[in-house]
Amino acid sequence: MSESVHTVTGMTCGHCASSVTEELTRIDGVQNVAVDLPTGKVTITSTTPVSLDDVRTAVAEAGYELAG
């Protein structure tokens, strides 16, 4: 298993977190997505490492962007 942590900017509510979670779980190999709304931290657990480009694309599809 692989775990990565990213910060997503612009999330303000549960619907925001759900949208990001839904898009990230579409990435091949992703098993779990945990969103900490107050900090914007998103923890992705996957069977293999997930590329930063895939994460960035999924977050953008949800209407948000990665910090940094």
Side-chain angles (χ1 to χ4, degrees):
M1 292 299 257
S2 178
E3 186 174 283
S4 60
V5 179
H6 307 276
T7 301
V8 176
T9 59
M11 294 187 299
T12 58
C13 66
H15 182 265
C16 300
S18 292
S19 295
V20 169
T21 299
E22 182 179 330
E23 291 297 331
L24 288 171
T25 55
R26 292 180 181 177
I27 298 172
D28 285 341
V30 171
Q31 301 290 306
N32 186 55
V33 176
V35 176
D36 182 11
L37 195 55
T39 64
K41 298 281 186 206
V42 177
T43 304
I44 302 169
T45 306
S46 55
T47 54
T48 58
V50 176
S51 80
L52 184 57
D53 285 341
D54 286 347
V55 172
R56 184 173 279 118
T57 299
V59 168
E61 283 292 320
Y64 305 94
E65 60 183 46
L66 292 181

Tab-separated table of all heavy atoms in Angstrom:
chain	number	residue	atom	x	y	z
A	1	MET	N	0.837	-1.182	0.000
A	1	MET	CA	0.000	0.000	0.000
A	1	MET	C	0.880	1.242	0.000
A	1	MET	O	1.961	1.254	0.546
A	1	MET	CB	-0.898	0.015	1.242
A	1	MET	CG	-1.960	-1.070	1.247
A	1	MET	SD	-3.090	-0.961	-0.120
A	1	MET	CE	-4.495	-0.254	0.659
A	2	SER	N	0.345	2.268	-0.599
A	2	SER	CA	1.041	3.539	-0.686
A	2	SER	C	0.130	4.632	-0.132
A	2	SER	O	-1.085	4.559	-0.290
A	2	SER	CB	1.381	3.830	-2.146
A	2	SER	OG	2.024	5.075	-2.274
A	3	GLU	N	0.724	5.625	0.515
A	3	GLU	CA	-0.065	6.725	1.049
A	3	GLU	C	0.600	8.039	0.669
A	3	GLU	O	1.820	8.173	0.741
A	3	GLU	CB	-0.166	6.609	2.569
A	3	GLU	CG	-1.082	7.641	3.192
A	3	GLU	CD	-1.283	7.410	4.671
A	3	GLU	OE1	-2.062	6.503	5.024
A	3	GLU	OE2	-0.641	8.114	5.460
A	4	SER	N	-0.215	8.993	0.240
A	4	SER	CA	0.302	10.320	-0.066
A	4	SER	C	-0.635	11.359	0.521
A	4	SER	O	-1.829	11.133	0.653
A	4	SER	CB	0.447	10.517	-1.580
A	4	SER	OG	-0.791	10.368	-2.236
A	5	VAL	N	-0.071	12.495	0.885
A	5	VAL	CA	-0.849	13.578	1.486
A	5	VAL	C	-0.652	14.830	0.633
A	5	VAL	O	0.476	15.170	0.265
A	5	VAL	CB	-0.408	13.857	2.936
A	5	VAL	CG1	-1.214	14.998	3.536
A	5	VAL	CG2	-0.552	12.601	3.784
A	6	HIS	N	-1.758	15.471	0.312
A	6	HIS	CA	-1.749	16.687	-0.512
A	6	HIS	C	-2.626	17.729	0.154
A	6	HIS	O	-3.501	17.401	0.953
A	6	HIS	CB	-2.297	16.387	-1.914
A	6	HIS	CG	-1.608	15.240	-2.571
A	6	HIS	ND1	-0.434	15.375	-3.256
A	6	HIS	CD2	-1.917	13.923	-2.621
A	6	HIS	CE1	-0.054	14.198	-3.721
A	6	HIS	NE2	-0.943	13.295	-3.338
A	7	THR	N	-2.417	18.994	-0.199
A	7	THR	CA	-3.268	20.063	0.297
A	7	THR	C	-4.064	20.620	-0.874
A	7	THR	O	-3.489	20.980	-1.913
A	7	THR	CB	-2.435	21.184	0.947
A	7	THR	OG1	-1.687	20.623	2.024
A	7	THR	CG2	-3.334	22.292	1.483
A	8	VAL	N	-5.378	20.656	-0.706
A	8	VAL	CA	-6.280	21.167	-1.739
A	8	VAL	C	-6.827	22.504	-1.254
A	8	VAL	O	-7.287	22.627	-0.125
A	8	VAL	CB	-7.438	20.166	-1.992
A	8	VAL	CG1	-8.429	20.731	-3.002
A	8	VAL	CG2	-6.889	18.831	-2.468
A	9	THR	N	-6.764	23.509	-2.111
A	9	THR	CA	-7.250	24.834	-1.733
A	9	THR	C	-8.677	25.051	-2.234
A	9	THR	O	-9.074	24.509	-3.252
A	9	THR	CB	-6.352	25.945	-2.306
A	9	THR	OG1	-6.323	25.846	-3.729
A	9	THR	CG2	-4.938	25.833	-1.767
A	10	GLY	N	-9.426	25.834	-1.472
A	10	GLY	CA	-10.763	26.241	-1.885
A	10	GLY	C	-11.917	25.417	-1.354
A	10	GLY	O	-13.067	25.789	-1.549
A	11	MET	N	-11.637	24.316	-0.660
A	11	MET	CA	-12.732	23.512	-0.116
A	11	MET	C	-13.285	24.201	1.124
A	11	MET	O	-12.527	24.582	2.010
A	11	MET	CB	-12.250	22.109	0.247
A	11	MET	CG	-11.818	21.278	-0.913
A	11	MET	SD	-11.462	19.563	-0.421
A	11	MET	CE	-10.128	19.771	0.751
A	12	THR	N	-14.615	24.356	1.186
A	12	THR	CA	-15.215	25.048	2.324
A	12	THR	C	-16.343	24.263	3.004
A	12	THR	O	-16.819	24.689	4.050
A	12	THR	CB	-15.787	26.407	1.880
A	12	THR	OG1	-16.746	26.184	0.857
A	12	THR	CG2	-14.690	27.330	1.374
A	13	CYS	N	-16.776	23.155	2.399
A	13	CYS	CA	-17.923	22.441	2.968
A	13	CYS	C	-17.834	20.948	2.668
A	13	CYS	O	-16.948	20.496	1.943
A	13	CYS	CB	-19.225	23.014	2.396
A	13	CYS	SG	-19.430	22.732	0.626
A	14	GLY	N	-18.781	20.223	3.212
A	14	GLY	CA	-18.826	18.780	2.996
A	14	GLY	C	-19.003	18.402	1.531
A	14	GLY	O	-18.460	17.401	1.070
A	15	HIS	N	-19.774	19.195	0.796
A	15	HIS	CA	-19.960	18.918	-0.631
A	15	HIS	C	-18.641	19.052	-1.375
A	15	HIS	O	-18.342	18.267	-2.274
A	15	HIS	CB	-21.015	19.852	-1.225
A	15	HIS	CG	-21.270	19.581	-2.669
A	15	HIS	ND1	-20.631	20.273	-3.667
A	15	HIS	CD2	-22.057	18.675	-3.284
A	15	HIS	CE1	-21.033	19.798	-4.840
A	15	HIS	NE2	-21.904	18.830	-4.623
A	16	CYS	N	-17.841	20.046	-1.000
A	16	CYS	CA	-16.515	20.224	-1.607
A	16	CYS	C	-15.671	18.962	-1.390
A	16	CYS	O	-15.064	18.440	-2.327
A	16	CYS	CB	-15.792	21.413	-0.976
A	16	CYS	SG	-16.583	23.001	-1.132
A	17	ALA	N	-15.638	18.505	-0.150
A	17	ALA	CA	-14.857	17.319	0.191
A	17	ALA	C	-15.362	16.097	-0.565
A	17	ALA	O	-14.571	15.288	-1.059
A	17	ALA	CB	-14.908	17.075	1.697
A	18	SER	N	-16.674	15.971	-0.698
A	18	SER	CA	-17.258	14.837	-1.430
A	18	SER	C	-16.875	14.874	-2.902
A	18	SER	O	-16.571	13.833	-3.491
A	18	SER	CB	-18.781	14.849	-1.304
A	18	SER	OG	-19.171	14.584	0.008
A	19	SER	N	-16.882	16.051	-3.489
A	19	SER	CA	-16.523	16.185	-4.906
A	19	SER	C	-15.074	15.774	-5.143
A	19	SER	O	-14.769	15.048	-6.086
A	19	SER	CB	-16.725	17.629	-5.371
A	19	SER	OG	-18.074	17.982	-5.319
A	20	VAL	N	-14.182	16.238	-4.275
A	20	VAL	CA	-12.769	15.891	-4.402
A	20	VAL	C	-12.577	14.386	-4.191
A	20	VAL	O	-11.877	13.723	-4.962
A	20	VAL	CB	-11.916	16.714	-3.411
A	20	VAL	CG1	-10.486	16.185	-3.340
A	20	VAL	CG2	-11.926	18.184	-3.815
A	21	THR	N	-13.235	13.843	-3.175
A	21	THR	CA	-13.129	12.409	-2.889
A	21	THR	C	-13.608	11.582	-4.076
A	21	THR	O	-12.951	10.616	-4.481
A	21	THR	CB	-13.946	12.052	-1.627
A	21	THR	OG1	-13.412	12.773	-0.521
A	21	THR	CG2	-13.901	10.564	-1.343
A	22	GLU	N	-14.736	11.966	-4.646
A	22	GLU	CA	-15.296	11.231	-5.784
A	22	GLU	C	-14.321	11.200	-6.960
A	22	GLU	O	-14.111	10.142	-7.561
A	22	GLU	CB	-16.608	11.878	-6.213
A	22	GLU	CG	-17.293	11.165	-7.355
A	22	GLU	CD	-18.608	11.816	-7.746
A	22	GLU	OE1	-19.276	12.414	-6.882
A	22	GLU	OE2	-18.955	11.723	-8.935
A	23	GLU	N	-13.738	12.333	-7.285
A	23	GLU	CA	-12.799	12.378	-8.412
A	23	GLU	C	-11.531	11.580	-8.125
A	23	GLU	O	-11.033	10.865	-8.999
A	23	GLU	CB	-12.445	13.821	-8.769
A	23	GLU	CG	-13.590	14.601	-9.375
A	23	GLU	CD	-14.092	14.042	-10.705
A	23	GLU	OE1	-13.310	13.423	-11.454
A	23	GLU	OE2	-15.288	14.216	-10.988
A	24	LEU	N	-11.010	11.689	-6.911
A	24	LEU	CA	-9.770	10.975	-6.580
A	24	LEU	C	-9.972	9.466	-6.551
A	24	LEU	O	-9.067	8.719	-6.929
A	24	LEU	CB	-9.221	11.461	-5.239
A	24	LEU	CG	-8.620	12.868	-5.258
A	24	LEU	CD1	-8.316	13.338	-3.849
A	24	LEU	CD2	-7.371	12.926	-6.127
A	25	THR	N	-11.137	8.998	-6.146
A	25	THR	CA	-11.363	7.553	-6.099
A	25	THR	C	-11.490	6.946	-7.500
A	25	THR	O	-11.440	5.734	-7.644
A	25	THR	CB	-12.607	7.187	-5.265
A	25	THR	OG1	-13.745	7.883	-5.756
A	25	THR	CG2	-12.396	7.511	-3.798
A	26	ARG	N	-11.602	7.775	-8.507
A	26	ARG	CA	-11.641	7.281	-9.888
A	26	ARG	C	-10.257	6.930	-10.425
A	26	ARG	O	-10.139	6.280	-11.463
A	26	ARG	CB	-12.289	8.323	-10.805
A	26	ARG	CG	-13.754	8.509	-10.532
A	26	ARG	CD	-14.360	9.522	-11.443
A	26	ARG	NE	-15.791	9.676	-11.125
A	26	ARG	CZ	-16.585	10.534	-11.710
A	26	ARG	NH1	-16.115	11.344	-12.645
A	26	ARG	NH2	-17.851	10.602	-11.367
A	27	ILE	N	-9.218	7.351	-9.734
A	27	ILE	CA	-7.852	7.033	-10.159
A	27	ILE	C	-7.601	5.553	-9.885
A	27	ILE	O	-7.904	5.045	-8.798
A	27	ILE	CB	-6.820	7.892	-9.400
A	27	ILE	CG1	-7.036	9.382	-9.687
A	27	ILE	CG2	-5.399	7.469	-9.766
A	27	ILE	CD1	-6.185	10.303	-8.831
A	28	ASP	N	-7.039	4.862	-10.874
A	28	ASP	CA	-6.737	3.439	-10.724
A	28	ASP	C	-5.873	3.186	-9.496
A	28	ASP	O	-4.866	3.862	-9.284
A	28	ASP	CB	-6.005	2.909	-11.955
A	28	ASP	CG	-6.917	2.733	-13.156
A	28	ASP	OD1	-8.151	2.673	-12.973
A	28	ASP	OD2	-6.394	2.666	-14.284
A	29	GLY	N	-6.284	2.223	-8.698
A	29	GLY	CA	-5.515	1.807	-7.542
A	29	GLY	C	-5.874	2.507	-6.247
A	29	GLY	O	-5.463	2.060	-5.174
A	30	VAL	N	-6.620	3.606	-6.314
A	30	VAL	CA	-6.962	4.328	-5.087
A	30	VAL	C	-7.967	3.508	-4.283
A	30	VAL	O	-9.006	3.103	-4.786
A	30	VAL	CB	-7.515	5.742	-5.395
A	30	VAL	CG1	-8.065	6.390	-4.134
A	30	VAL	CG2	-6.421	6.608	-6.007
A	31	GLN	N	-7.624	3.270	-3.029
A	31	GLN	CA	-8.455	2.470	-2.130
A	31	GLN	C	-9.282	3.336	-1.188
A	31	GLN	O	-10.392	2.987	-0.828
A	31	GLN	CB	-7.568	1.539	-1.289
A	31	GLN	CG	-6.743	0.588	-2.118
A	31	GLN	CD	-7.587	-0.472	-2.770
A	31	GLN	OE1	-8.336	-1.155	-2.096
A	31	GLN	NE2	-7.479	-0.614	-4.069
A	32	ASN	N	-8.679	4.465	-0.741
A	32	ASN	CA	-9.347	5.308	0.237
A	32	ASN	C	-8.865	6.748	0.096
A	32	ASN	O	-7.704	6.989	-0.225
A	32	ASN	CB	-9.040	4.807	1.655
A	32	ASN	CG	-9.825	5.555	2.704
A	32	ASN	OD1	-11.052	5.614	2.640
A	32	ASN	ND2	-9.143	6.137	3.663
A	33	VAL	N	-9.781	7.676	0.346
A	33	VAL	CA	-9.458	9.101	0.356
A	33	VAL	C	-10.033	9.684	1.638
A	33	VAL	O	-11.213	9.515	1.925
A	33	VAL	CB	-10.059	9.830	-0.871
A	33	VAL	CG1	-9.791	11.319	-0.785
A	33	VAL	CG2	-9.509	9.253	-2.172
A	34	ALA	N	-9.184	10.339	2.420
A	34	ALA	CA	-9.622	10.987	3.658
A	34	ALA	C	-9.352	12.479	3.544
A	34	ALA	O	-8.224	12.887	3.276
A	34	ALA	CB	-8.884	10.403	4.851
A	35	VAL	N	-10.398	13.282	3.717
A	35	VAL	CA	-10.282	14.735	3.602
A	35	VAL	C	-10.429	15.366	4.983
A	35	VAL	O	-11.387	15.080	5.700
A	35	VAL	CB	-11.363	15.300	2.658
A	35	VAL	CG1	-11.295	16.818	2.620
A	35	VAL	CG2	-11.219	14.717	1.260
A	36	ASP	N	-9.460	16.203	5.345
A	36	ASP	CA	-9.559	17.002	6.572
A	36	ASP	C	-9.919	18.413	6.123
A	36	ASP	O	-9.060	19.185	5.704
A	36	ASP	CB	-8.234	16.983	7.328
A	36	ASP	CG	-8.297	17.762	8.630
A	36	ASP	OD1	-9.412	18.137	9.063
A	36	ASP	OD2	-7.230	18.005	9.220
A	37	LEU	N	-11.206	18.712	6.161
A	37	LEU	CA	-11.721	19.960	5.614
A	37	LEU	C	-11.080	21.215	6.212
A	37	LEU	O	-10.696	22.115	5.468
A	37	LEU	CB	-13.245	19.997	5.754
A	37	LEU	CG	-13.988	21.031	4.938
A	37	LEU	CD1	-13.655	20.935	3.461
A	37	LEU	CD2	-15.487	20.873	5.142
A	38	PRO	N	-10.916	21.322	7.539
A	38	PRO	CA	-10.342	22.554	8.096
A	38	PRO	C	-8.927	22.875	7.584
A	38	PRO	O	-8.572	24.033	7.420
A	38	PRO	CB	-10.332	22.316	9.605
A	38	PRO	CG	-11.385	21.283	9.830
A	38	PRO	CD	-11.359	20.417	8.594
A	39	THR	N	-8.125	21.845	7.314
A	39	THR	CA	-6.749	22.072	6.878
A	39	THR	C	-6.588	21.942	5.363
A	39	THR	O	-5.571	22.355	4.814
A	39	THR	CB	-5.780	21.075	7.538
A	39	THR	OG1	-6.108	19.751	7.105
A	39	THR	CG2	-5.830	21.168	9.044
A	40	GLY	N	-7.556	21.314	4.701
A	40	GLY	CA	-7.442	21.062	3.272
A	40	GLY	C	-6.578	19.861	2.944
A	40	GLY	O	-6.324	19.560	1.780
A	41	LYS	N	-6.124	19.149	3.964
A	41	LYS	CA	-5.268	17.980	3.746
A	41	LYS	C	-6.095	16.811	3.219
A	41	LYS	O	-7.168	16.507	3.739
A	41	LYS	CB	-4.579	17.538	5.036
A	41	LYS	CG	-3.648	18.566	5.620
A	41	LYS	CD	-2.335	18.588	4.893
A	41	LYS	CE	-1.377	19.533	5.631
A	41	LYS	NZ	-0.375	20.078	4.778
A	42	VAL	N	-5.572	16.181	2.177
A	42	VAL	CA	-6.216	15.020	1.574
A	42	VAL	C	-5.209	13.872	1.607
A	42	VAL	O	-4.110	13.989	1.053
A	42	VAL	CB	-6.643	15.315	0.121
A	42	VAL	CG1	-7.233	14.088	-0.531
A	42	VAL	CG2	-7.621	16.483	0.077
A	43	THR	N	-5.589	12.786	2.257
A	43	THR	CA	-4.729	11.611	2.338
A	43	THR	C	-5.286	10.544	1.409
A	43	THR	O	-6.449	10.165	1.523
A	43	THR	CB	-4.658	11.081	3.786
A	43	THR	OG1	-4.220	12.137	4.644
A	43	THR	CG2	-3.711	9.901	3.886
A	44	ILE	N	-4.442	10.088	0.501
A	44	ILE	CA	-4.835	9.080	-0.492
A	44	ILE	C	-4.102	7.782	-0.183
A	44	ILE	O	-2.876	7.767	-0.078
A	44	ILE	CB	-4.476	9.543	-1.916
A	44	ILE	CG1	-5.160	10.876	-2.224
A	44	ILE	CG2	-4.845	8.470	-2.938
A	44	ILE	CD1	-4.649	11.534	-3.500
A	45	THR	N	-4.860	6.706	-0.018
A	45	THR	CA	-4.285	5.379	0.163
A	45	THR	C	-4.558	4.592	-1.111
A	45	THR	O	-5.693	4.531	-1.581
A	45	THR	CB	-4.923	4.663	1.369
A	45	THR	OG1	-4.802	5.507	2.515
A	45	THR	CG2	-4.239	3.336	1.640
A	46	SER	N	-3.486	4.011	-1.663
A	46	SER	CA	-3.627	3.309	-2.942
A	46	SER	C	-2.763	2.053	-2.962
A	46	SER	O	-1.854	1.898	-2.147
A	46	SER	CB	-3.217	4.234	-4.095
A	46	SER	OG	-1.914	4.733	-3.885
A	47	THR	N	-3.064	1.179	-3.914
A	47	THR	CA	-2.309	-0.074	-4.033
A	47	THR	C	-0.914	0.182	-4.579
A	47	THR	O	0.015	-0.559	-4.278
A	47	THR	CB	-3.043	-1.067	-4.941
A	47	THR	OG1	-3.317	-0.432	-6.194
A	47	THR	CG2	-4.339	-1.528	-4.311
A	48	THR	N	-0.759	1.225	-5.390
A	48	THR	CA	0.534	1.630	-5.941
A	48	THR	C	0.625	3.153	-5.836
A	48	THR	O	-0.408	3.820	-5.721
A	48	THR	CB	0.683	1.216	-7.419
A	48	THR	OG1	-0.379	1.808	-8.163
A	48	THR	CG2	0.645	-0.287	-7.582
A	49	PRO	N	1.818	3.720	-5.885
A	49	PRO	CA	1.928	5.176	-5.819
A	49	PRO	C	1.113	5.856	-6.919
A	49	PRO	O	1.076	5.384	-8.059
A	49	PRO	CB	3.424	5.431	-6.008
A	49	PRO	CG	4.082	4.169	-5.534
A	49	PRO	CD	3.135	3.069	-5.944
A	50	VAL	N	0.453	6.957	-6.562
A	50	VAL	CA	-0.368	7.718	-7.501
A	50	VAL	C	0.452	8.914	-7.961
A	50	VAL	O	1.068	9.604	-7.143
A	50	VAL	CB	-1.673	8.190	-6.813
A	50	VAL	CG1	-2.495	9.060	-7.742
A	50	VAL	CG2	-2.479	6.993	-6.347
A	51	SER	N	0.467	9.161	-9.264
A	51	SER	CA	1.264	10.270	-9.780
A	51	SER	C	0.656	11.615	-9.384
A	51	SER	O	-0.567	11.759	-9.284
A	51	SER	CB	1.404	10.188	-11.303
A	51	SER	OG	0.255	10.687	-11.931
A	52	LEU	N	1.515	12.588	-9.179
A	52	LEU	CA	1.071	13.933	-8.824
A	52	LEU	C	0.201	14.520	-9.932
A	52	LEU	O	-0.778	15.203	-9.654
A	52	LEU	CB	2.279	14.829	-8.551
A	52	LEU	CG	1.978	16.243	-8.071
A	52	LEU	CD1	1.138	16.236	-6.808
A	52	LEU	CD2	3.274	17.000	-7.858
A	53	ASP	N	0.528	14.219	-11.178
A	53	ASP	CA	-0.278	14.714	-12.302
A	53	ASP	C	-1.699	14.164	-12.245
A	53	ASP	O	-2.660	14.895	-12.510
A	53	ASP	CB	0.363	14.357	-13.647
A	53	ASP	CG	1.573	15.223	-13.965
A	53	ASP	OD1	1.713	16.313	-13.368
A	53	ASP	OD2	2.375	14.804	-14.820
A	54	ASP	N	-1.843	12.879	-11.901
A	54	ASP	CA	-3.179	12.286	-11.789
A	54	ASP	C	-3.974	12.938	-10.667
A	54	ASP	O	-5.167	13.205	-10.811
A	54	ASP	CB	-3.092	10.771	-11.558
A	54	ASP	CG	-2.686	10.003	-12.806
A	54	ASP	OD1	-2.699	10.591	-13.910
A	54	ASP	OD2	-2.355	8.807	-12.668
A	55	VAL	N	-3.303	13.197	-9.551
A	55	VAL	CA	-3.970	13.848	-8.417
A	55	VAL	C	-4.392	15.255	-8.814
A	55	VAL	O	-5.530	15.665	-8.592
A	55	VAL	CB	-3.059	13.870	-7.169
A	55	VAL	CG1	-3.684	14.708	-6.062
A	55	VAL	CG2	-2.771	12.460	-6.684
A	56	ARG	N	-3.476	16.000	-9.424
A	56	ARG	CA	-3.766	17.381	-9.831
A	56	ARG	C	-4.949	17.423	-10.807
A	56	ARG	O	-5.844	18.258	-10.681
A	56	ARG	CB	-2.524	18.002	-10.462
A	56	ARG	CG	-2.714	19.464	-10.816
A	56	ARG	CD	-1.434	20.119	-11.275
A	56	ARG	NE	-0.651	20.473	-10.094
A	56	ARG	CZ	0.551	19.985	-9.802
A	56	ARG	NH1	1.123	19.123	-10.598
A	56	ARG	NH2	1.181	20.351	-8.715
A	57	THR	N	-4.979	16.504	-11.767
A	57	THR	CA	-6.064	16.450	-12.749
A	57	THR	C	-7.395	16.135	-12.078
A	57	THR	O	-8.412	16.764	-12.374
A	57	THR	CB	-5.746	15.398	-13.836
A	57	THR	OG1	-4.541	15.790	-14.507
A	57	THR	CG2	-6.865	15.280	-14.843
A	58	ALA	N	-7.408	15.164	-11.182
A	58	ALA	CA	-8.648	14.773	-10.488
A	58	ALA	C	-9.175	15.924	-9.636
A	58	ALA	O	-10.377	16.205	-9.636
A	58	ALA	CB	-8.414	13.535	-9.633
A	59	VAL	N	-8.290	16.608	-8.929
A	59	VAL	CA	-8.691	17.731	-8.092
A	59	VAL	C	-9.250	18.858	-8.966
A	59	VAL	O	-10.258	19.484	-8.631
A	59	VAL	CB	-7.516	18.204	-7.210
A	59	VAL	CG1	-7.814	19.540	-6.552
A	59	VAL	CG2	-7.174	17.142	-6.154
A	60	ALA	N	-8.615	19.089	-10.102
A	60	ALA	CA	-9.103	20.129	-11.030
A	60	ALA	C	-10.470	19.764	-11.584
A	60	ALA	O	-11.330	20.645	-11.758
A	60	ALA	CB	-8.099	20.322	-12.169
A	61	GLU	N	-10.709	18.494	-11.860
A	61	GLU	CA	-12.012	18.038	-12.341
A	61	GLU	C	-13.107	18.338	-11.313
A	61	GLU	O	-14.254	18.590	-11.674
A	61	GLU	CB	-11.989	16.537	-12.645
A	61	GLU	CG	-11.301	16.179	-13.941
A	61	GLU	CD	-12.055	16.648	-15.166
A	61	GLU	OE1	-13.300	16.566	-15.196
A	61	GLU	OE2	-11.390	17.109	-16.113
A	62	ALA	N	-12.733	18.306	-10.043
A	62	ALA	CA	-13.683	18.599	-8.968
A	62	ALA	C	-13.866	20.115	-8.779
A	62	ALA	O	-14.746	20.541	-8.049
A	62	ALA	CB	-13.221	17.969	-7.661
A	63	GLY	N	-13.018	20.909	-9.455
A	63	GLY	CA	-13.151	22.359	-9.382
A	63	GLY	C	-12.222	23.031	-8.382
A	63	GLY	O	-12.437	24.180	-8.007
A	64	TYR	N	-11.173	22.335	-7.976
A	64	TYR	CA	-10.238	22.862	-6.983
A	64	TYR	C	-8.817	22.712	-7.502
A	64	TYR	O	-8.597	22.222	-8.599
A	64	TYR	CB	-10.415	22.124	-5.637
A	64	TYR	CG	-11.858	22.213	-5.183
A	64	TYR	CD1	-12.770	21.203	-5.481
A	64	TYR	CD2	-12.315	23.338	-4.514
A	64	TYR	CE1	-14.090	21.307	-5.108
A	64	TYR	CE2	-13.643	23.458	-4.151
A	64	TYR	CZ	-14.528	22.440	-4.455
A	64	TYR	OH	-15.861	22.557	-4.107
A	65	GLU	N	-7.852	23.129	-6.690
A	65	GLU	CA	-6.463	22.937	-7.112
A	65	GLU	C	-5.597	22.582	-5.929
A	65	GLU	O	-5.943	22.846	-4.774
A	65	GLU	CB	-5.922	24.167	-7.831
A	65	GLU	CG	-5.923	25.433	-7.029
A	65	GLU	CD	-5.440	26.623	-7.864
A	65	GLU	OE1	-5.886	26.788	-9.003
A	65	GLU	OE2	-4.617	27.358	-7.320
A	66	LEU	N	-4.460	21.943	-6.263
A	66	LEU	CA	-3.503	21.596	-5.231
A	66	LEU	C	-2.722	22.832	-4.835
A	66	LEU	O	-2.410	23.673	-5.686
A	66	LEU	CB	-2.514	20.537	-5.744
A	66	LEU	CG	-3.054	19.145	-6.012
A	66	LEU	CD1	-1.925	18.241	-6.483
A	66	LEU	CD2	-3.713	18.558	-4.787
A	67	ALA	N	-2.410	22.936	-3.549
A	67	ALA	CA	-1.569	24.031	-3.076
A	67	ALA	C	-0.135	23.742	-3.505
A	67	ALA	O	0.286	22.600	-3.542
A	67	ALA	CB	-1.659	24.145	-1.563
A	68	GLY	N	0.590	24.798	-3.798
A	68	GLY	CA	2.020	24.646	-4.113
A	68	GLY	C	2.292	24.314	-5.485
A	68	GLY	O	2.320	23.794	-6.362
